[in-house]
Amino acid sequence: MFANHLKVGRGWQRLANFGPALPGTGIAALTYTTGLRRSTTRYVPFFHLSSSSYESVYPISRKFTETNDNFTFLSLYRLYFQTTDRHVVERVYDNRSWSDGGIVVRKAKSRTPLAATSFLLTPGNPQSVRVYYGNEDNRILEKGTEGGTYWYDGAFEHSAIPSSQVAAVDWGNGGVFNIRLYIQDGAFKNGISEWAWFRRSWRRGILAIPPA
């Protein structure tokens, strides 16, 4: 079962229930800001992810207001995990409440590795999100959405060792937009390899990091 909790004094208060989760599921979470043409103060959560027999998600409350030229920037959150039927699903927090973002991947590899990142390719366009996961053939794949209207198969696909995890980071925008993806694809047996999205194509990054 997935749930989120609020820190109150020295204890935790249970908040939203995200529904049944596959035991041992991976967790991916991301946040981004959106501008509203008004000044207001809101309380939003900051994620601290923790694994237990129930795989809970713990947000810590904090007061957040940032005003710039009559805009207030509010943080939004997206959470990804695997349900008992092996679907990868999304939950969305919009500064008011959590909602069900639906299925991102149907029937992913059991206890699939998960990573997520978001970016704004062009000012004024919807927020883009990429989710990375593994399939039964031990390949790391990509799902993408622009604005959350629907999910499509992304361009990344590469083999990985069966126990590989995945991590993603991005920066820049437009023609100089970059994603870096880190997986264990067999280099140095179980070293960590970098893959780079740059100028609209994936290519191998720097030399793999050998195992410690």
Side-chain angles (χ1 to χ4, degrees), residues 43-54:
Y43 288 86
V44 299
F46 172 81
F47 278 109
H48 170 70
L49 303 182
S50 176
S51 295
S52 69
S53 58
Y54 294 98

Side-chain angles (χ1 to χ4, degrees), residues 150-165:
Y150 66 94
W151 291 92
Y152 57 86
D153 293 333
F156 187 82
E157 179 180 351
H158 195 74
S159 60
I161 66 175
S163 59
S164 176
Q165 297 297 304

